[in-house]
Amino acid sequence: MDRICFRLRIRSERMAEYRERHAAVWPDMLRALERSGWRNYSLFLDPDGLLIGYFEAEDAAGALAAMEETEVNTRWQSDMAPFFEDDGSGAGPRFLTPVFRLEDQLAALPTDDPARPLTRPAYPGLETS
């Protein structure tokens, strides 16, 4: 599973409206994201306008390309463009390089390592294996 994280910057005067728009994303946009293979997609907005996006996909390049081909994405991107500060590059989101993943490092620990958790903590409402 590919994990993708990116950042953008929202114009300060548009942040409230940006939040409102994302409280009710167009249903056809939501379905297009799902059909394109986007999973666990989340956006996080800092009060200073920094927007962090994260999603997972079996094939991130394919999922990004599939969205680029949809008509609804073209409309959505056009509608959202005024919300973003532009650094002048026209490059769009800046993709971040992963440097740490807890699960990867835990999996690499020897099974007899006392620091390795033997069971995952139970969370109410979640099934554990």
Side-chain angles (χ1 to χ4, degrees), residues 8 85-94:
L8 293 159
E85 289 183 4
D86 184 5
D87 66 2
S89 70
R94 184 168 178 189

Side-chain angles (χ1 to χ4, degrees), residues 3 54 97-106:
R3 293 168 293 117
Y54 173 86
T97 303
V99 296
F100 170 79
R101 185 168 184 249
L102 175 63
E103 289 77 8
D104 292 343
Q105 291 194 24
L106 284 173

